[in-house]
Amino acid sequence: MRRRSFASHRETCRRASALTLASRSPPPSNYHSRSQPSKRASINAAVNGAEHSRRSIPPNKPPHRRQRLLAYRGVSRSALMMISCNFLANWRRKTRLLRSKTAWSRWISSSSIQSVSFLLGVIPVFVAWIYSEWLEYKRSSSTSKVHSDHNLVELESETIKENDRAVLLEGGLTKSSSTKIPSPSIKTNLIRFLTMDDSFLLDNRQLLRAMAEFGGILFYFYLCDRTIFFADSTKSYNRDLFVFLFLLLIIVSAMTSLKKHNDKSSFSGKSILYLNHHQTEEWKGYMQVLFLMYHYFAATELYNAIRIFIATYVWMTGFGNFSYYYIRKDFSLGRFAQMMWRLNFFVIFCCIVLNNDYMLYYICPMHTLFTLMVYGALGIGYKYNEIRSVMALKIFMCFFVVILVWEIPGVFDILWSPLTFLLGYDDPAKPDLPRLHEWHFRSGLDRYIWIIGMIYAYFHPNVEKWMDKLEESETRRRCMIKTFVVTFASTVGYLWYEYIYKLDKLSYNKLHPYTSWIPITVYICLRNFSQQLRNISFTLFAWLGKVTLETYISQFHIWLRSVLLIFCFVLSSYV
């Protein structure tokens, strides 16, 4: 008897769990149709069945306790099962919500140290900036004599300060042309800042404004990335919409920002403008727009194109740094610190405030690494850079170092293992991989293209001289050569697209380090084959190309969420 009751109890629990799971599943398409009975109708049917069972008992015999229980078994099972299903569904829903809030609170509390510290530091700066703006408004609105001797002295001192600032910006760390009063110590400035000294706040109003804006940007990052203030949405990709938006942006840019440049070449003095600054900035703007749209829409079919864009950025790192160091021969510590500051200042503060890994912004350590390699290649023995054999030896040594580190197994891990704390990354989607896998993969994809950029920069004056002679040649010969260059470049680009670009993700990644220079060279040939094309550019895309690093970092926190582990933790609490 005990076994039978235990078996019946187990069967009842199994049915209840099955009905609970069924209640969690979405209803069928005809759920609200007339053929589906409602809950009230089901309960009424169960009650009627119970009444019919009770009436079937013989009237001459008093209902026994067991018969009474059997009579009400129908209504008890049906009604109790439905009530319990509704109760369990509501209880699970409330439990999931409570657990999700608990997960969010746990996660927010884990990252509150850096956030609270940053907030405590930004609030006084923001208050000081607001107060300095009020002091400036009060001073400008007050009536004063414009031509008084006091104002003339102030104007003269302001002119001297502007001259000093201009000399500092143009000449780097050169001495000022005027006699400068020794600046107060850091302790004195800090005391004046904390005591809200009016003159100190007015003198440093622009600096306070910049610091307040920077703090506001990081706070907005935290609000978008680390809180549920903005709701999440599901990405959806539509190729027609993607192409339409990009073409619309090109049309708007052509109508509003198309500009013709008349700059002269620094080598020949003529209007050649081969790979000029406006053109490269415009190129970066094109790629950055597509890069951001790729992440926003989750356009996975453009993965190979994004790999080319990142390779182009690395190519420009080699091209631009080689051109600067080879021409200016400025290997000073100030220039080096300026480059490192430009590449890592923003990302370091994002890592501190948002508690992220440095490798999450993998483009920043990549550009830092290849900038250091260009600096080292040209800085060692820079007095002999004009000798062709020495430059050829340096380029060969760059290839040798890359082959040694990335092509020979084990060398990469030995070299970079001391920097695992900085370059290591734990991928939540692939927890079994080593921490340096992400750095090895990202840096290895573009390990050669920065050297190609150095080679193109080295032969840039020779190409400009050849193009100068081509523009001065007779019309028939010039047209024939340009037609041949365009046809050959287009054919090579088509073959690369058909046999390399169309490969799947894994197959393409294996060939990318050795073939990424092909589409870059094809674009350079097609973009510069005509003098008219070299003279024009879209200033809108050129402006976007100047803020590629900032937009790259911002899209991780405004459009996306930089940490996926929080979602894994919240979802695990549902189970």
Side-chain angles (χ1 to χ4, degrees):
M1 196 65 170
R2 184 177 299 177
R3 291 183 179 179
R4 185 180 300 175
S5 63
F6 178 75
S8 62
H9 177 69
R10 185 175 58 185
E11 182 67 20
T12 303
C13 293
R14 187 186 64 83
R15 292 181 180 179
S17 60
L19 287 174
T20 304
L21 293 175
S23 66
R24 295 176 62 183
S25 61
S29 58
N30 58 351
Y31 179 75
H32 297 286
S33 63
R34 295 182 179 179
S35 60
Q36 297 291 336
S38 62
K39 295 180 181 179
R40 185 178 297 276
S42 301
I43 296 176
N44 292 334
V47 172
N48 293 333
E51 291 290 335
H52 177 73
S53 301
R54 186 172 60 178
R55 289 170 186 174
S56 62
I57 300 176
N60 55 354
K61 292 184 179 181
H64 195 266
R65 182 179 180 182
R66 178 174 177 80
Q67 291 178 348
R68 193 181 298 115
L69 291 175
L70 291 175
Y72 287 97
R73 182 174 294 177
V75 64
S76 62
R77 283 186 177 180
S78 302
L80 184 61
M81 188 67 68
M82 292 182 180
I83 294 173
S84 63
C85 290
N86 293 332
F87 175 77
L88 288 175
N90 294 329
W91 180 78
R92 285 178 176 272
R93 190 181 301 110
K94 292 180 180 179
T95 304
R96 286 199 301 266
L97 182 59
L98 181 61
R99 287 181 178 179
S100 63
K101 291 181 179 179
T102 305
W104 277 106
S105 61
R106 287 179 182 176
W107 179 80
I108 291 175
S109 63
S110 64
S111 61
S112 60
I113 299 177
Q114 297 90 338
S115 306
V116 171
S117 302
F118 174 76
L119 188 63
L120 292 177
V122 168
I123 290 178
V125 174
F126 187 79
V127 173
W129 169 61
I130 295 295
Y131 183 61
S132 66
E133 292 290 344
W134 182 79
L135 291 176
E136 178 66 21
Y137 172 76
K138 184 179 179 181
R139 186 178 65 173
S140 61
S141 61
S142 61
T143 57
S144 59
K145 295 181 179 180
V146 180
H147 300 288
S148 63
D149 296 337
H150 180 68
N151 289 331
L152 290 177
V153 173
E154 288 184 352
L155 290 175
E156 183 179 358
S157 62
E158 291 293 332
T159 305
I160 294 175
K161 290 182 180 179
E162 292 295 330
N163 293 334
D164 294 344
R165 189 178 295 109
V167 170
L168 180 61
L169 292 176
E170 294 177 2
L173 301 177
T174 57
K175 294 183 178 180
S176 174
S177 59
S178 62
T179 304
K180 298 178 63 177
I181 302 175
S183 60
S185 62
I186 298 177
K187 181 179 179 180
T188 304
N189 290 333
L190 184 60
I191 294 175
R192 295 179 66 189
F193 169 75
L194 295 176
T195 56
M196 291 291 181
D197 185 72
D198 293 352
S199 60
F200 177 80
L201 296 180
L202 287 174
D203 293 339
N204 298 275
R205 183 173 59 89
Q206 296 296 332
L207 178 61
L208 292 173
R209 178 180 179 181
M211 295 174 65
E213 290 177 353
F214 184 71
I217 291 172
L218 291 178
F219 176 75
Y220 183 64
F221 285 178
Y222 185 87
L223 191 67
C224 295
D225 196 355
R226 292 296 194 270
T227 65
I228 54 176
F229 184 80
F230 297 103
D232 298 333
S233 61
T234 305
K235 296 181 181 180
S236 60
Y237 172 64
N238 189 329
R239 183 187 298 176
D240 297 336
L241 178 62
F242 187 94
V243 175
F244 170 75
L245 292 177
F246 184 66
L247 292 179
L248 182 63
L249 183 61
I250 292 178
I251 293 173
V252 171
S253 178
M255 295 174 61
T256 58
S257 65
L258 184 62
K259 184 178 180 180
K260 183 177 181 180
H261 304 280
N262 296 318
D263 300 346
K264 302 297 181 180
S265 172
S266 58
F267 299 101
S268 60
K270 298 182 180 180
S271 181
I272 301 297
L273 298 175
Y274 165 66
L275 278 178
N276 58 82
H277 182 69
H278 307 288
Q279 187 182 130
T280 54
E281 296 293 344
E282 178 199 60
W283 192 1
K284 290 194 293 184
Y286 283 129
M287 296 187 297
Q288 190 65 14
V289 169
L290 291 173
F291 190 79
L292 298 178
M293 293 177 66
Y294 164 80
H295 279 160
Y296 184 81
F297 290 100
T300 55
E301 67 175 0
L302 297 179
Y303 174 84
N304 295 347
I306 298 302
R307 296 270 69 82
I308 294 298
F309 296 162
I310 296 176
T312 306
Y313 288 134
V314 178
W315 178 89
M316 290 183 181
T317 298
F319 182 86
N321 285 283
F322 183 94
S323 300
Y324 179 85
Y325 291 124
Y326 186 77
I327 297 174
R328 300 287 183 87
K329 298 179 177 60
D330 182 13
F331 298 94
S332 61
L333 182 61
R335 169 65 183 179
F336 177 78
Q338 181 184 4
M339 289 298 301
M340 295 298 103
W341 177 277
R342 173 71 178 86
L343 290 173
N344 296 284
F345 172 75
F346 195 20
V347 68
I348 286 176
F349 271 88
C350 288
C351 292
I352 294 174
V353 175
L354 300 172
N355 195 22
N356 282 336
D357 292 329
Y358 184 47
M359 267 305 299
L360 181 67
Y361 318 91
Y362 63 90
I363 286 184
C364 297
M366 280 177 53
H367 284 286
T368 302
L369 170 64
F370 298 129
T371 299
L372 287 173
M373 298 184 77
V374 175
Y375 180 84
L378 295 181
I380 299 175
Y382 66 94
K383 296 180 180 180
Y384 307 99
N385 287 339
E386 300 293 336
I387 304 175
R388 291 189 175 184
S389 58
V390 174
M391 187 55 60
L393 178 61
K394 289 187 175 184
I395 293 176
F396 173 78
M397 291 302 299
C398 290
F399 278 108
F400 176 77
V401 170
V402 170
I403 293 173
L404 178 66
V405 175
W406 276 274
E407 301 291 349
I408 299 178
V411 178
F412 183 90
D413 296 332
I414 296 174
L415 179 64
W416 294 106
S417 57
L419 297 177
T420 304
F421 71 97
L422 180 64
L423 301 174
Y425 180 72
D426 295 322
D427 192 352
K430 301 175 182 178
D432 298 333
L433 295 177
R435 297 199 65 198
L436 288 176
H437 172 78
E438 187 73 11
W439 173 236
H440 184 271
F441 172 72
R442 297 295 182 181
S443 61
L445 283 175
D446 303 310
R447 56 184 180 268
Y448 292 111
I449 195 62
W450 64 277
I451 308 177
I452 305 299
M454 291 174 58
I455 296 174
Y456 281 27
Y458 181 73
F459 289 103
H460 182 270
N462 298 332
V463 176
E464 273 206 346
K465 293 178 182 178
W466 178 81
M467 295 178 68
D468 187 13
K469 294 180 180 179
L470 180 63
E471 294 296 334
E472 295 178 353
S473 61
E474 58 181 3
T475 306
R476 182 179 178 181
R477 183 170 180 269
R478 182 172 66 250
C479 293
M480 288 180 60
I481 294 176
K482 289 184 178 181
T483 303
F484 172 77
V485 171
V486 172
T487 304
F488 182 77
S490 303
T491 304
V492 172
Y494 174 77
L495 294 176
W496 171 84
Y497 176 79
E498 286 291 331
Y499 295 100
I500 298 178
Y501 180 81
K502 286 186 175 181
L503 294 174
D504 60 279
K505 176 180 177 180
L506 298 178
S507 301
Y508 177 79
N509 285 339
K510 295 178 181 179
L511 299 177
H512 175 78
Y514 314 102
T515 60
S516 59
W517 61 274
I518 297 177
I520 295 175
T521 307
V522 169
Y523 177 83
I524 292 174
C525 293
L526 297 180
R527 182 67 174 84
N528 293 273
F529 82 93
S530 173
Q531 183 67 46
Q532 289 74 19
L533 287 177
R534 293 194 294 268
N535 288 340
I536 61 175
S537 68
F538 295 141
T539 56
L540 175 61
F541 287 102
W543 176 80
L544 291 173
K546 295 178 181 179
V547 291
T548 52
L549 183 62
E550 290 76 11
T551 53
Y552 165 77
I553 296 175
S554 300
Q555 56 99 21
F556 273 111
H557 307 291
I558 297 177
W559 285 354
L560 310 174
R561 287 196 186 273
S562 60
V563 177
L564 298 178
L565 186 60
I566 174 60
F567 295 104
C568 299
F569 180 70
V570 172
L571 291 176
S572 65
S573 63
Y574 288 167
V575 181

